[in-house]
Amino acid sequence: VLFRSVSATIIAESAARAEIIAKTSLILGPEEGLKFIRNQPNVRGLLVLEDGSLVRSRGLEEACVVE
């Protein structure tokens, strides 16, 4: 059983699209929200659950470059 999502971070081609996807994924909850993120082209995401655990979409690490 996954805990409730409390935060979503989305990488998309525009801030407006990222905001819509983040809000939708929070409304859907962690399981359906992650499926929704995965079905969006050129989108990567991270959900933070209420217990502090993280749920990531595939490719998130490649999309984030930390120097």
Side-chain angles (χ1 to χ4, degrees):
V1 174
L2 289 177
F3 290 88
R4 183 175 61 94
S5 300
V6 295
S7 177
T9 300
I10 303 295
I11 299 171
E13 71 275 358
S14 72
R17 184 159 186 249
E19 182 176 357
I20 291 167
I21 293 169
K23 288 181 179 180
T24 302
S25 67
L26 288 173
I27 292 167
L28 292 172
E31 292 178 14
E32 292 301 315
L34 188 59
K35 286 180 191 175
F36 176 74
I37 292 168
R38 288 178 174 163
N39 286 326
Q40 303 304 309
N42 303 314
V43 170
R44 304 292 180 260
L46 169 73
L47 300 177
V48 180
L49 307 185
E50 62 188 348
D51 70 345
S53 62
L54 306 176
V55 180
R56 297 173 182 90
S57 69
R58 283 180 233 102
L60 183 64
E61 290 80 15
E62 294 82 18
C64 299
V65 177
V66 179
E67 294 183 24

